[in-house]
Amino acid sequence: MRKVIFILCCFLLVACQKQEIKNKKETNSKTTQKENLVLKEWKYLSEEGDGNDDGYYRLVHNDDGETHLLYTDYSTGQEIYLCNKPECKHKDESCTSYVPFGNISELFVYKDHLYFLELTGEVMQLSGNGFASPMKSSPHIYQMDLDGQNRKELCQLEEGYQFEAGNIAFDGNDMYLSISKSDSVETGKNAHMQVTTQKELFKINLESGQMKKVMDLYDGLSEKDIAAVEGRKLILSGYCCQEDPQKYLDKKDFSGYDRIMEESQSLYEIVNIDTLQKRVMKTKEAMPCNYYQNKIYYTDKNYVYCFDLTTKKKSQFLCLDKGYEYSLDIYGHRFLINQWKDDKFQKTLISSIDKPKIKELKQYTRVPKEPVNIISMTSDKFFVLYDREGGYEKTWAGTMQYETKKEYKGLISIDDFFNNKKNYKKVSIIQ
C-alpha cells in the first residue's frame, strides 16, 4: 500500500512540474509578444484636439493670445477647463489648463499622457510698438499627465528642422513620426515655393525623449509619409519621379519641375518595424491612401476602385452616380463617401467593405446642409459636431458667408450612426 501511494505521489510531482514548465513557457511567450502599432490620424489631429475612450482634449485660443486646454468628460457630458482649482481665472501657469508653450500645432493623447507638438519653431513676438514679428526657435514636444500636472519638455529638434504635419504611429513607449528640412525657392517676384531637402522617419522614446533615426523618407526622386498601420507594419505612401526634379529648380525651369512632378508615380512601402524589411510598390494610378487590409480604396469619376498591394491589380469596387465629385474615408470596415456638385455638398453615401451595397447616410446638420463632422473616434463611439446655429452675413468682400453662433457636439455609437439613428448624447461645451 505504501509503495502504491509513493508511486502516485511521484506521478503527481512529475505532472505538476510539467504543468509549471508549460505555464512558464506560456507566460514567456505572452511577455515577448509585441503589441500592434497604434495610429493617430492627421484628419483628427488637425482639429487641435484628441481623445481616448474616456474623454476629449482640445486647445482653444482667446483674443488675448492665450491658449487653454479644455476637457470633455464622456461620462458626464460636460466640457470643462482642465483645472481643479475653484474660482481659478486660468490666466497663468499656476493653472493646469493654461498652455504656456508658444507655437502648439498638435495635441494628442497616448496612454497616460498628453503630448503637445510644435510643427515649426517660429513664434510671433510682440514688439514695444505693438507689431508682431516672427522669432526663430527649434520646435519641441512637451509631455504632461492627463490632468495637466507634471509638465516637461520631452525633446527638441536641431535648428532648421521641423516636425511634419501628418499621421503619427506609436509602439509601446516609442513614437514614430517624420522630421524634415526645407528650402525656400524664389519662383517670381514676391513668390516663393518650399521644397523638401531632407526628410526622415524618427523614433522618439516617450520616457527619455531620446531620438533615433529609423530611415530616410526622401531621396530626391521619391518622398513618402506614414499612411496607415497594420499589426507591426507601417504603410508609407508618397510619390516617385522618373528623373530628379531638383535639376529643373537649379535651372529655374519651373514648368519643367511641374511637369516632372505631375508625371510622378504613386509609391507605397510596407515596412516591418522590427526588421525594417520593406516591400515596395509603384503605380501610375494617382490615388489617396485609404488603406484597409492590404488594399487601397479611392474614388475616380463615378467609381470606387480597389488596388491590391499584393497583386498590384486594380478593380472596380462600387459604381456611383455620374456627374458628381466624390471624397472617401474609411472607418473600420465601412466607407463614408461624400458627394459634391460644383463645390456644393449634395449627400453622404455609406457601404460596408465586406458586403458592398450603397445607401444614403442621412446624418446632416440643418442649414446649411453639411455632413456631420466626426471629431474623434473611440472603440465604439463617435464624438461629433452634429448641428450648428447661425446665419449668413456679408463679408468685407461683399460675399455672403455663414457665421456660426452656436455649435452642438455629442456622442453616438458607431453602429447607431451608420444605421441612421440620431441617438446623440448631447455634450455641454464651452462656446
Side-chain angles (χ1 to χ4, degrees):
M1 185 66 181
R2 289 179 179 177
K3 183 182 287 187
V4 172
I5 293 173
F6 176 75
I7 293 171
L8 284 173
C9 288
C10 289
F11 275 122
L12 288 171
L13 180 61
V14 171
C16 288
Q17 287 176 335
K18 286 183 177 179
Q19 183 63 37
E20 185 178 349
I21 293 171
K22 182 182 177 183
N23 289 339
K24 283 184 178 179
K25 285 182 178 179
E26 288 178 354
T27 302
N28 289 336
S29 65
K30 286 180 182 178
T31 55
T32 56
Q33 185 177 359
K34 295 184 177 180
E35 301 174 0
N36 290 338
L37 300 179
V38 175
L39 185 71
K40 292 288 183 178
E41 297 183 74
W42 172 245
K43 67 182 179 183
Y44 298 128
L45 300 182
S46 61
E47 301 271 356
E48 290 194 319
D50 190 30
N52 53 23
D53 275 6
D54 297 323
Y56 184 79
Y57 299 82
R58 71 178 175 115
L59 295 169
V60 292
H61 313 282
N62 63 23
D63 295 336
D64 296 329
E66 296 175 340
T67 300
H68 292 94
L69 186 57
L70 304 185
Y71 174 66
T72 298
D73 187 329
Y74 289 159
S75 63
T76 63
Q78 296 288 325
E79 182 178 62
I80 59 171
Y81 283 89
L82 192 67
C83 171
N84 60 5
K85 292 182 179 180
E87 309 301 325
C88 183
K89 302 297 183 183
H90 317 303
K91 284 293 183 182
D92 55 46
E93 294 184 45
S94 65
C95 172
T96 50
S97 77
Y98 185 86
V99 181
F101 318 128
N103 191 29
I104 301 302
S105 302
E106 288 186 19
L107 156 71
F108 45 91
V109 186
Y110 180 66
K111 293 188 175 179
D112 296 328
H113 292 98
L114 292 170
Y115 297 89
F116 297 90
L117 185 146
E118 297 174 332
L119 292 182
T120 64
E122 186 175 282
V123 296
M124 300 306 292
Q125 185 180 41
L126 284 176
S127 58
N129 57 13
F131 290 100
S133 58
M135 180 179 67
K136 292 287 186 180
S137 66
S138 300
H140 300 75
I141 297 179
Y142 302 95
Q143 182 193 73
M144 66 174 63
D145 296 342
L146 295 180
D147 61 0
Q149 304 282 350
N150 299 318
R151 304 182 179 200
K152 70 174 185 178
E153 176 187 311
L154 182 66
C155 62
Q156 181 180 13
L157 293 183
E158 295 179 15
E159 188 174 346
Y161 289 85
Q162 64 184 29
F163 295 108
E164 284 283 303
N167 296 341
I168 301 173
F170 292 87
D171 176 22
N173 288 324
D174 294 315
M175 170 173 60
Y176 290 87
L177 75 173
S178 55
I179 294 171
S180 68
K181 197 173 187 180
S182 60
D183 190 18
S184 180
V185 177
E186 186 177 358
T187 58
K189 188 176 180 180
N190 298 324
H192 294 79
M193 174 175 60
Q194 292 295 316
V195 178
T196 300
T197 58
Q198 192 174 335
K199 189 173 183 180
E200 298 161 334
L201 181 69
F202 265 76
K203 177 170 72 172
I204 301 175
N205 186 272
L206 299 176
E207 293 179 349
S208 66
Q210 181 181 5
M211 303 175 65
K212 180 182 178 181
K213 177 185 172 181
V214 178
M215 60 186 292
D216 286 318
L217 296 175
Y218 173 77
D219 62 6
L221 290 176
S222 66
E223 184 176 353
K224 46 201 178 276
D225 294 285
I226 298 173
V229 298
E230 186 169 16
R232 300 286 301 164
K233 295 176 182 177
L234 278 177
I235 289 82
L236 307 177
S237 70
Y239 69 87
C240 180
C241 298
Q242 302 302 308
E243 54 180 312
D244 188 357
Q246 183 62 43
K247 66 181 182 181
Y248 291 93
L249 292 178
D250 294 339
K251 296 186 296 185
K252 304 294 183 182
D253 182 0
F254 302 117
S255 61
Y257 174 84
D258 291 340
R259 176 179 56 81
I260 292 300
M261 298 302 292
E262 289 172 0
E263 294 174 354
S264 64
Q265 294 181 310
S266 294
L267 173 68
Y268 299 93
E269 290 185 6
I270 299 179
V271 182
N272 184 308
I273 207 64
D274 299 310
T275 64
L276 295 186
Q277 291 182 333
K278 59 184 179 181
R279 186 157 52 91
V280 181
M281 282 76 59
K282 298 177 183 178
T283 174
K284 293 182 179 179
E285 296 289 335
M287 48 192 181
C289 189
N290 292 297
Y291 179 89
Y292 181 74
Q293 295 185 346
N294 209 47
K295 296 176 181 178
I296 305 293
Y297 296 88
Y298 64 102
T299 60
D300 186 15
K301 295 181 180 177
N302 64 309
Y303 290 100
V304 174
Y305 288 99
C306 171
F307 182 82
D308 192 309
L309 293 178
T310 301
T311 64
K312 301 182 183 180
K313 291 184 178 179
K314 165 188 170 182
S315 59
Q316 288 183 6
F317 192 78
L318 287 172
C319 181
L320 309 172
D321 292 337
K322 293 182 178 180
Y324 299 94
E325 295 179 352
Y326 296 92
S327 60
L328 180 147
D329 276 305
I330 294 178
Y331 296 91
H333 64 282
R334 297 177 172 105
F335 286 142
L336 192 152
I337 305 168
N338 286 322
Q339 184 189 81
W340 305 82
K341 181 78 169 180
D342 299 327
D343 295 328
K344 186 176 181 181
F345 173 74
Q346 302 296 310
K347 60 183 177 180
T348 299
L349 307 170
I350 56 171
S351 173
S352 168
I353 298 177
D354 306 323
K355 298 179 180 179
K357 185 178 181 182
I358 296 173
K359 69 175 183 178
E360 184 176 356
L361 178 66
K362 297 180 180 179
Q363 300 279 8
Y364 305 121
T365 59
R366 284 181 285 184
V367 179
K369 181 182 177 182
E370 295 173 329
V372 165
N373 179 22
I374 299 173
I375 301 171
S376 185
M377 179 178 177
T378 74
S379 56
D380 61 350
K381 295 186 292 288
F382 284 139
F383 179 48
V384 301
L385 170 61
Y386 65 89
D387 205 353
R388 60 179 182 158
E389 293 179 8
Y392 286 95
E393 297 180 6
K394 186 174 288 188
T395 67
W396 62 269
T399 58
M400 299 302 292
Q401 181 173 303
Y402 188 86
E403 296 291 334
T404 300
K405 305 297 183 184
K406 187 175 182 180
E407 292 183 338
Y408 295 89
K409 293 180 180 178
L411 294 161
I412 185 171
S413 79
I414 294 174
D415 287 339
D416 280 354
F417 183 84
F418 282 106
N419 287 322
N420 277 319
K421 297 178 181 178
K422 298 188 177 183
N423 296 328
Y424 294 105
K425 176 186 175 183
K426 185 179 177 182
V427 168
S428 297
I429 63 173
I430 299 173
Q431 297 283 346

